């Protein structure tokens, strides 16, 4: 299946430093890096913990829902790389476990969320690689 947003040549290398993320995403699970010593949530490519100084990363399963911290709408056209010719939202999503992910929607028909909305995290297929994206807002009464 072809991704709605990006050309397949923009797919990340699934064997790079984020390999654990892509391997889990391929199974439909979100795994993110935490400090192996104190469990603090780390940035995706962070290798040294800000909290305790340890330099050991543990990739652990993360909750696939979060709250929109910020959102913007991208209007830039990149023919050949960006496949859509319509503006699309990009959301900075704060997960319950402390991670922040900047995500595009899983499909072009997902309405831009508002700051404070709960969204779920799913996966798009970019070439052969599964990458995280956000879905429609999660209802307030969802568990
Ligand atoms: Zn730590």
């Amino acid at each position: 299946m072809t991704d709605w947003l990006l050309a397949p040549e923009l797919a990340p290398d699934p064997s790079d430093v984020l390999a654990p993320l892509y391997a889990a995403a391929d199974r439909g699970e979100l795994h993110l890096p935490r400090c192996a010593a104190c469990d603090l949530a780390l940035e995706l490519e962070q290798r040294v913990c800000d909290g305790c100084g340890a330099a050991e990363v543990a990739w652990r399963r993360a909750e696939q829902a979060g709250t929109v911290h910020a959102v913007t709408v991208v209007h830039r056209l990149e023919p050949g790389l960006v496949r859509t010719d319509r503006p699309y939202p990009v959301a900075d999503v704060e997960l319950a476990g402390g991670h922040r992910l900047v995500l595009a929607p899983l499909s072009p028909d997902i309405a831009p969320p508002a700051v404070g909305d709960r969204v779920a995290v799913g996966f798009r297929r970019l070439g052969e690689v599964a990458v995280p994206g956000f879905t429609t807002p999660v209802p307030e009464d969802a568990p």
Side-chain angles (χ1 to χ4, degrees):
M1 191 173 73
T2 304
D3 184 49
W4 72 273
L5 182 58
L6 299 175
E9 53 265 39
L10 293 178
D13 176 353
S15 67
D16 75 9
V17 295
L18 302 184
L21 169 72
Y22 302 129
D26 199 55
R27 304 189 304 268
E29 296 179 2
L30 182 63
H31 285 218
L32 294 172
R34 304 191 80 89
C35 172
C38 76
D39 204 41
L40 191 71
L42 303 179
E43 298 290 329
L44 287 179
E45 300 193 8
Q46 187 177 355
R47 291 296 169 263
V48 176
C49 177
D50 293 328
C52 74
E56 190 179 346
V57 176
W59 288 80
R60 300 206 176 104
R61 192 163 186 182
E63 184 189 349
Q64 286 179 225
T67 302
V68 174
H69 179 81
V71 65
T72 190
V73 177
V74 178
H75 290 262
R76 184 174 174 183
L77 292 176
E78 291 274 2
L81 295 176
V82 173
R83 300 169 53 88
T84 185
D85 59 0
R86 298 187 359 215
Y88 59 93
V90 171
D92 176 351
V93 178
E94 186 164 9
L95 304 180
H99 290 94
R100 294 267 291 268
L101 294 176
V102 175
L103 301 171
L106 292 183
S107 72
D109 53 351
I110 293 173
V115 169
D117 279 355
R118 293 267 298 164
V119 293
V121 177
F123 301 95
R124 297 163 32 221
R125 278 262 162 209
L126 187 52
E128 299 298 311
V129 185
V131 297
F134 71 84
T135 63
T136 45
V138 176
E140 283 297 324
D141 57 357

